[in-house]
Amino acid sequence: MNLRSGARLTSTADGAWRGDFGRALHAEWTKLRTAGDMGSLLLLAVVLTVAVGCGTAKAVKCPDAGCGQDAVKLALTGVTVGQAVIAVLAAAAVSGEYSTGMIRTTLTAVPSRLTVLTAKATVLTTVVLASGTAAVLASLLAGRHILPGNGFTEAHGYPPLSLTDGPTLRAAVGSVLYLALIALLGLGVATAVRETATAIGIVLGLLYLFPVVTQVVNDPQWQHHLQKISPMTAGLAVQATVHLHELPVGPWAGLGVLTAWAAAALLASSLLLHRRDA
């Protein structure tokens, strides 16, 4: 085979892959958009995130200068609750196809299983990034209006929350990325186990049980290690804007830990998807 023929074959293969991916992307978007509970779950994630953030901002007081609170993290507290809904959304987006048998139709239309998984991840990430951005911006806006009434004023060392402030912008962007990574983690786990309740249980266990286990362990060194590998504890370090030296892991490094969890789940799911029957 000469170089020109090889180039034509490569170009044809690339074109075929792009065509398959385009069809898969359109199909996944249609399935997600027309599923009755998907829109409700996204709306619930936004509402819970903002509501919990508002409640926390109203509850915490800063009576004097140097009260030690992280105003940005307080405003974004709702992410710790909204992520549960995102995990449920991600699990339902894939395991529901297995329960109805629609996955066979999907894989018949697009035989490449990696293409199908990539399309699912792309669509899911896009909608979660959009809803996560809305939730985070609304939470910060609410915090900007609520927190000064509880003592978080410039006189106490707390300027109004603003995205022009570098740490605040990093916390906002990081929180949106955090939610997207939770969605990918949920997608990977659900694809691997193929059962909605089991997938939700595994993801929520990873998120919420890790901190509980950390508190039960008495050895400070082991506590530190567990905090550094906990998907939620490490991932949410990106929200911190004060006392960064006290964190078990740096803000972006912590988000990298969650990225590793999501990547491992997706890798395992892609391998199982190739080896198992639909």
Side-chain angles (χ1 to χ4, degrees):
M1 180 185 297
N2 58 38
L3 292 177
R4 187 173 299 175
S5 298
R8 281 199 299 268
L9 287 175
T10 301
S11 177
T12 301
D14 289 343
W17 186 88
R18 285 194 295 268
D20 285 345
F21 183 69
R23 289 193 296 273
L25 205 60
H26 182 267
E28 295 304 326
W29 166 243
T30 300
K31 283 185 282 188
L32 191 65
R33 178 172 53 83
T34 56
D37 55 348
M38 295 303 173
S40 300
L41 286 173
L42 285 171
L43 180 60
L44 179 61
V46 174
V47 171
L48 280 178
T49 300
V50 178
V52 173
C54 289
T56 304
K58 288 182 178 180
V60 180
K61 310 293 183 181
C62 184
D64 49 39
C67 61
Q69 296 288 345
D70 189 333
V72 176
K73 195 172 181 67
L74 289 174
L76 296 175
T77 303
V79 171
T80 61
V81 178
Q83 65 177 347
V85 183
I86 295 299
V88 172
L89 169 71
V94 60
S95 55
E97 283 198 75
Y98 283 100
S99 63
T100 61
M102 185 180 289
I103 189 65
R104 297 185 183 89
T105 304
T106 298
L107 295 178
T108 300
V110 184
S112 172
R113 301 188 175 198
L114 181 59
T115 299
V116 171
L117 184 60
T118 303
K120 287 182 181 294
T122 301
V123 171
L124 183 63
T125 301
T126 300
V127 297
V128 171
L129 285 175
S131 59
T133 299
V136 166
L137 290 179
S139 297
L140 289 175
L141 182 61
R144 180 183 174 92
H145 288 282
I146 296 171
L147 288 170
N150 287 350
F152 291 88
T153 61
E154 291 193 69
H156 290 167
Y158 292 96
L161 300 184
S162 173
L163 293 179
T164 59
D165 175 60
T168 303
L169 178 61
R170 183 252 298 153
V173 173
S175 295
V176 175
L177 294 176
Y178 175 89
L179 290 173
L181 289 168
I182 293 298
L184 292 176
L185 175 63
L187 177 68
V189 171
T191 304
V193 302
R194 304 195 292 188
E195 208 281 321
T196 304
T198 303
I200 293 172
I202 291 173
V203 176
L204 295 186
L206 286 173
L207 294 177
Y208 296 113
L209 288 183
F210 244 111
V212 174
V213 173
T214 300
Q215 295 302 316
V216 172
V217 174
N218 294 322
D219 189 332
Q221 188 172 5
W222 271 104
Q223 282 186 343
H224 185 71
H225 287 317
L226 288 173
Q227 288 173 339
K228 289 177 69 174
I229 64 172
S230 166
M232 184 170 76
T233 303
L236 287 179
V238 77
Q239 291 183 342
T241 61
V242 299
H243 308 306
L244 299 185
H245 63 282
E246 298 177 2
L247 296 174
V249 62
W252 290 118
L255 201 63
V257 171
L258 178 57
T259 302
W261 278 95
L266 288 172
L267 177 61
S269 66
S270 64
L271 292 175
L272 290 171
L273 194 61
H274 272 288
R275 294 181 179 180
R276 297 184 306 203
D277 294 331

